[in-house]
Amino acid sequence: MQKRLRAWGMGLALAVAAAPAAAQQDTMSVRSPDGRNVIGIEPRDGRLFYRVSRDGQPVMLPSRLGFEFRGGDTLGALRVTGAARDSADETWTQPWGEVAHVRDHHNELRVHVAEAGGQARAFDLVLRAFDDGVAFRYELGERFGAFEMMEELTEFALADNARAWWIPGNQPEPDRQEILYSSSPVSRLDTVHTPLTLQYTNGTQVVIHEANLVDYAGMYLARTQNRVLRSTLARWADGVAVRGTAPFVTPWRTIQVADRPEDLAPSLLTLKLNPPSRIANTSWITPMKYNGVWWGMHINTETWGSGPTHGARTENVKRYMDFAAANGLGGTLVEGWNLGWDVDWFNTMQATFSFTQPYPDFDLPGLAAYARARGMTLIGHHETATKIENYERQLDSAMALYERVGVRAVKTGYVGDKTEHGHAHQSQYMVRHHRRVIETAARHGIMVNVHEPIKDTGERRTWPNMLSREGSRGMEYNAWGGEGGNPPEHETILFFTRMLAGPMDFTPGIFDLLIQRPTGTPRRPEDARPRTTLAKQLALYVVLYSPLQMAADLPENYADQPAFQFIRDVAVDWDTTVVLNGRIGDHVIVARKEKGQDEWFVGAITDEEARSFDVPLSFLPAGRRYVAEIYADGPGADWRDNPLPVTISRQDVDAGSTLRIEMAPGGGQAIRIRPAD
Ligand code: NOJ
Ligand code: CA
């Protein structure tokens, strides 16, 4: 890593006041290594603003910085007292990921700021410029003491009435991420979640998010004026947003910038803004495919609670494990194994889960051993119903139990809007809780997959056992969700929004797309079901990145299905990722190279429209011969009334070939490219 440090004298404030505008721009800003992105500050009338540009075009107009503490205490008149520059160029290898190596190449400007009078509180504003975006954070000095922050006043004054792709956030109730995306001009937004993806009229793509959320409240964006968004923080039950004792560092506010939607992914900015791994030996952290006692509960053929169709019966679980072992999957998830599902568990106040006591018909040690003997793992499940104290009380013994019997991964769940004491889902209280779970799991050698999580801000760099999470409408909504399930465009939006935060446990791979429920009740057209073709289900394994990928359907629905071969073959860990073509809400085509193998996978998905593309395979190494195994929408395929036809074919290809990808309405295509024999 190269480091360059240059401190500026205390006379800076004066020098700035006297300098002409162009020189100010120069001294108070920092430029990305490729020179295109610039972030700088602008003190004005005792207030502090930042601004961002790309290629000289404004991205953020002067946007205010600051805080409000309890009692209406905002920062007094501010002055810049000095600054320092730094830069870094460092590449690290990820234990797992959508790419093997990440390069953090940035320039930094650290600006020292102080209140001119009053409490004379001082803080640093640290600005970093990367080729793929900019970021900044506040580092509060000791004079802030023990504080109660009511709001962070950071603004994002967009330079354009950009088109935004958003889900509503931080409403009084409910506080959820499992909402369908909408798109509208920024001037029509209310309060929204991040990542917030924005398309400027000049074509620039901008994503506002945050990184390294460790001991702070999750940030939403609320529109205050025409095109001005302001940070608004999730709250403790008493209305405070953040409690802390200075010195104190906030999360990074990130603004990813790209020329085309295709260049937004893979999005690695947040990883560069998190500390390196705290886990020295990561060999026990293994990406995998898994199946599980799960979909049956969502389509009502099995139950979480006790009874004749209890899913977590030992014999039933063995059936799932046998299927997983026979097909090279690494794990079997079992939900409903522990006492507590026979009450109204959806209700946070009523939930009484035990995380150590199994139902009598579930043999935990026996099944964990059964899995281990087959080279796989039982994946445990902790649904908390957001009753956090109940979970934290049992956390260590629950993880120790898993470690003892050899369960190597856990799926957690946070059904519910607020904790039993009224803290918001993304509040500082919950941020602390999630870190505690990740760290406890790490101590016991357990990988974590969180449902109804807090947003992903790059934790996986520091804690690589934090594998995957939900945090959007996944497959389960196609079992019982309103509006008939997720619309066909859903995943083409997710790729450019939710997925820019990090991996998602979407749980693809439903083959019985018409959900022929055994009850014999005729289905009504408005009933929920996956609104995709079968080929699109396969493509989702490549398009929606997760180091844990579920083969989500019932084992019997994969029997005698040639298309299941793709799920057996597809990789879950990658050397490289290339987005070949994409438009938000329309289509995505992605190629990924399997980690350490000369094998590529391509996933293509479309929305409700049929689409065709000619895709050059120039991403392949030149001079080598490959075979493409193609799983395409079959004749007459259509998500509406004929989702099942898949045509499987083979084609000899090399780096000079072009593949014609034709997708049906709601369709897709999945391709494995392996070396020719
Ligand atoms: C919601 C999760 O997303 C789902 O996967 C799980 O089955 C239920 N909660 C029960 O924990
Ligand atoms: Ca969920």
Side-chain angles (χ1 to χ4, degrees):
M1 170 154 82
Q2 325 161 352
K3 275 218 159 213
R4 187 162 49 89
L5 199 67
R6 196 169 82 226
W8 297 353
M10 293 293 286
L12 184 87
L14 273 180
V16 163
Q24 262 194 40
Q25 180 100 359
D26 211 25
T27 52
M28 302 292 276
S29 63
V30 61
R31 200 172 272 278
S32 57
D34 69 0
R36 298 184 65 191
N37 300 327
V38 178
I39 178 166
I41 59 147
E42 205 173 291
R44 203 199 288 160
D45 304 330
R47 292 176 165 189
L48 192 64
F49 298 78
Y50 76 95
R51 59 189 141 61
V52 179
S53 63
R54 180 170 173 84
D55 300 333
Q57 299 293 312
V59 173
M60 295 294 162
L61 301 173
S63 305
R64 202 174 155 199
L65 297 156
F67 302 99
E68 182 190 329
F69 298 98
R70 204 196 260 284
D73 168 24
T74 51
L75 298 174
L78 297 173
R79 65 193 179 98
V80 172
T81 59
R85 285 182 184 270
D86 199 355
S87 63
D89 188 359
E90 180 194 11
T91 299
W92 76 91
T93 302
Q94 304 208 86
W96 50 266
E98 62 275 65
V99 296
H101 308 290
V102 180
R103 181 180 181 195
D104 170 10
H105 190 195
H106 70 254
N107 295 320
E108 179 184 291
L109 173 65
R110 172 179 289 270
V111 184
H112 309 310
V113 185
E115 285 176 312
Q119 305 178 56
R121 292 173 290 196
F123 65 93
D124 280 359
L125 186 75
V126 184
L127 313 164
R128 286 190 184 167
F130 305 79
D131 292 350
D132 54 347
V134 299
F136 59 92
R137 76 173 180 195
Y138 305 84
E139 299 185 8
L140 304 183
E142 270 172 11
R143 277 180 181 255
F144 282 89
F147 61 82
E148 289 184 319
M149 188 190 296
M150 305 308 287
E151 206 57 278
E152 180 186 315
L153 302 177
T154 305
E155 287 179 351
F156 300 85
L158 306 191
D160 186 70
N161 191 15
R163 184 174 182 197
W165 295 86
W166 54 273
I167 52 174
N170 203 20
Q171 303 148 308
E173 305 271 346
D175 175 14
R176 294 196 179 154
Q177 298 155 298
E178 296 181 6
I179 305 170
L180 289 175
Y181 277 81
S182 303
S183 123
S184 66
V186 136
S187 54
R188 301 237 303 271
L189 296 191
D190 188 342
T191 301
V192 297
H193 277 272
T194 79
L196 175 68
T197 302
L198 302 152
Q199 302 192 282
Y200 281 41
T201 38
N202 69 1
T204 302
Q205 316 285 313
V206 176
V207 181
I208 304 174
H209 191 43
E210 62 181 305
N212 200 25
L213 174 59
V214 181
D215 188 15
Y216 205 77
M219 174 180 74
Y220 302 89
L221 300 172
R223 197 169 61 85
T224 55
Q225 297 161 42
N226 191 18
R227 296 175 198 167
V228 180
L229 305 175
R230 204 185 72 189
S231 151
T232 178
L233 300 172
R235 288 170 195 289
W236 294 75
D238 64 359
V240 172
V242 181
R243 306 190 134 84
T245 303
F248 187 92
V249 173
T250 71
W252 293 94
R253 277 54 187 105
T254 61
I255 302 169
Q256 193 190 343
V257 194
D259 296 330
R260 313 174 305 153
E262 287 94 333
D263 298 335
L264 288 173
S267 175
L268 305 170
L269 192 56
T270 59
L271 296 181
K272 302 177 207 175
L273 294 161
N274 273 268
S277 178
R278 295 267 303 271
I279 302 177
N281 174 4
T282 55
S283 60
W284 55 274
I285 303 170
T286 49
M288 63 175 137
K289 288 172 276 188
Y290 71 101
N291 69 346
V293 178
W294 179 76
W295 185 240
M297 277 85 100
H298 288 272
I299 60 171
N300 285 325
T301 61
E302 293 177 324
T303 59
W304 281 282
S306 58
T309 53
H310 182 213
R313 294 181 327 274
T314 299
E315 286 316 307
N316 193 40
V317 173
K318 281 187 178 164
R319 195 168 65 85
Y320 278 81
M321 287 184 172
D322 291 344
F323 179 84
N327 291 288
L329 310 184
T332 295
L333 164 73
V334 186
E335 297 197 1
W337 69 274
N338 55 322
L339 297 185
W341 294 91
D342 290 314
V343 297
D344 181 11
W345 60 268
F346 252 82
N347 181 328
T348 302
M349 305 314 285
Q350 313 239 330
T352 55
F353 284 112
S354 163
F355 300 99
T356 51
Q357 291 171 274
Y359 276 108
D361 55 354
F362 177 80
D363 174 9
L364 175 64
L367 285 165
Y370 192 85
R372 274 205 321 280
R374 283 154 186 77
M376 44 182 277
T377 182
L378 168 67
I379 301 177
H381 185 232
H382 291 164
E383 173 57 64
T384 67
T386 316
K387 195 163 186 175
I388 301 305
E389 279 185 14
N390 179 50
Y391 186 36
E392 291 202 347
R393 212 178 309 117
Q394 303 178 58
L395 184 59
D396 199 68
S397 49
M399 296 290 183
L401 169 65
Y402 279 162
E403 183 180 20
R404 205 159 56 239
V405 299
V407 168
R408 298 182 43 236
V410 65
K411 169 178 169 181
T412 58
Y414 293 86
V415 165
D417 298 323
K418 291 185 171 164
T419 71
E420 71 273 39
H421 300 300
H423 308 308
H425 212 90
Q426 314 250 357
S427 63
Q428 182 182 26
Y429 175 88
M430 287 300 287
V431 169
R432 288 179 178 171
H433 166 73
H434 282 284
R435 284 281 165 154
R436 185 168 166 190
V437 173
I438 296 169
E439 292 177 24
T440 307
R443 275 202 303 281
H444 290 285
I446 291 170
M447 298 174 267
V448 181
N449 172 18
V450 188
H451 276 231
E452 299 81 44
I454 55 164
K455 65 171 110 176
D456 192 332
T457 63
E459 293 92 324
R460 61 181 158 137
R461 174 148 187 223
T462 313
W463 295 104
N465 66 317
M466 176 58 243
L467 257 74
S468 197
R469 71 184 83 199
E470 192 188 39
S472 193
R473 279 175 61 130
M475 186 65 79
E476 64 189 18
Y477 279 80
N478 300 326
W480 41 253
E483 304 108 355
N486 298 324
E489 66 172 3
H490 183 57
E491 299 86 356
T492 69
I493 301 173
L494 283 187
F495 184 83
F496 296 103
T497 53
R498 159 67 185 83
M499 301 307 296
L500 301 178
M504 177 176 175
D505 185 40
F506 183 84
T507 67
I510 298 303
F511 274 27
D512 180 18
L513 289 160
L514 298 169
I515 311 184
Q516 286 144 359
R517 293 189 169 90
T519 54
T521 325
R523 286 189 56 81
R524 297 163 306 163
E526 66 273 25
D527 283 347
R529 65 176 167 91
R531 291 152 97 181
T532 78
T533 65
L534 200 145
K536 182 169 173 178
Q537 288 291 315
L538 301 178
L540 293 177
Y541 287 85
V542 185
V543 172
L544 300 180
Y545 169 65
S546 177
L548 294 174
Q549 284 288 29
M550 189 174 200
D553 211 336
L554 313 174
E556 55 269 35
N557 290 339
Y558 294 131
D560 305 320
Q561 289 275 7
F564 186 71
Q565 186 59 39
F566 184 81
I567 299 181
R568 295 174 61 134
D569 292 338
V570 69
V572 284
D573 198 12
W574 311 101
D575 274 332
T576 50
T577 287
V578 193
V579 183
L580 301 171
N581 204 317
R583 288 292 170 272
I584 308 181
D586 293 344
H587 68 274
V588 188
I589 308 177
V590 193
R592 303 190 198 263
K593 178 184 174 295
E594 181 170 3
K595 177 79 128 315
Q597 303 293 326
D598 185 16
E599 214 163 281
W600 290 76
F601 291 85
V602 177
I605 60 171
T606 179
D607 59 1
E608 67 288 344
E609 280 187 38
R611 295 177 200 271
S612 309
F613 296 90
D614 289 317
V615 177
L617 303 187
S618 50
F619 53 84
L620 293 174
R624 299 176 69 97
R625 290 171 40 250
Y626 293 86
V627 175
E629 300 174 355
I630 302 168
Y631 298 75
D633 287 321
D638 188 316
W639 74 268
R640 270 183 219 88
D641 43 26
N642 194 24
L644 301 180
V646 178
T647 302
I648 305 175
S649 63
R650 281 191 171 67
Q651 203 173 312
D652 292 334
V653 294
D654 61 23
S657 309
T658 293
L659 283 183
R660 177 97 184 139
I661 292 187
E662 293 189 347
M663 297 183 276
Q669 192 166 127
I671 307 171
R672 173 193 185 205
I673 303 178
R674 57 160 173 86
D677 305 320

